[in-house]
Amino acid sequence: MDDRPDDRYERALMEGLRHPRPDIAQTCAWILGQRRVRAAVPALLAALEARSCDIDVQAAIVTALGQIGDPRAFPALARVARQGTVPVRRVALAALWAIDQERARPVLEDVLATDSSAGVRSEAARLLREETPGARTCPSPS
């Protein structure tokens, strides 16, 4: 079976999520998110669990999941938004909002009301004020 070069590259990126060097895993997550590789969601979710001590890697994984936009990531992101480290909680809120604003709204409202970090609460408030993408209107000329 001949694999397309993109398939081999994406598989190598998914394998890179398990690399012992955090900078390599972080870069792999970033590229997978930029390429919006939907097939990488299970590997990203597994790495999110396995790399719980690598804050920068977790933040890159969470960001990638938000960029990919696959609803399968929603439960894990909702958990991380409530229980992760502060930097990871902040990016998890944005990832949830990017995936499904309607489902994310109650999570963000809960975080806004209960999170111990002012920065996380501020991010929740900012997202809740944000308009739906594509629905922004330009100011009318005077």
Side-chain angles (χ1 to χ4, degrees):
M1 168 175 128
D2 288 328
D3 289 330
R4 292 186 2 244
D6 279 355
D7 291 343
R8 288 192 304 270
Y9 180 61
E10 290 168 358
R11 271 201 313 273
L13 290 169
M14 288 183 254
E15 290 170 13
L17 294 170
R18 297 190 310 262
H19 197 281
R21 282 186 40 194
D23 60 319
I24 292 175
Q26 183 178 352
T27 300
C28 290
W30 183 83
I31 294 169
L32 289 165
Q34 290 294 304
R35 293 173 62 98
R36 289 174 173 71
V37 180
R38 200 172 203 77
V41 170
L44 287 162
L45 290 171
L48 184 63
E49 293 297 320
R51 301 201 76 127
S52 60
C53 295
D54 295 323
I55 295 170
D56 291 336
V57 176
Q58 278 205 320
I61 290 168
V62 166
T63 299
L65 289 167
Q67 290 170 320
I68 294 167
D70 191 313
R72 293 176 293 174
F74 198 93
L77 291 171
R79 180 186 50 74
V80 170
R82 291 182 173 112
Q83 300 172 358
T85 61
V86 169
V88 176
R89 290 198 316 264
R90 288 184 66 158
V91 294
L93 296 176
L96 288 167
W97 195 249
I99 291 172
D100 186 338
Q101 290 182 4
E102 187 176 320
R103 284 178 68 196
R105 184 170 298 280
V107 176
L108 271 66
E109 288 170 346
D110 179 57
V111 166
L112 180 60
T114 63
D115 200 278
S116 62
S117 166
V120 174
R121 291 191 311 270
S122 175
E123 179 67 2
R126 183 189 70 76
L127 290 165
L128 288 166
R129 284 191 309 269
E130 194 175 88
E131 295 178 35
T132 303
R136 297 175 191 243
T137 58
C138 297
S140 59
S142 305

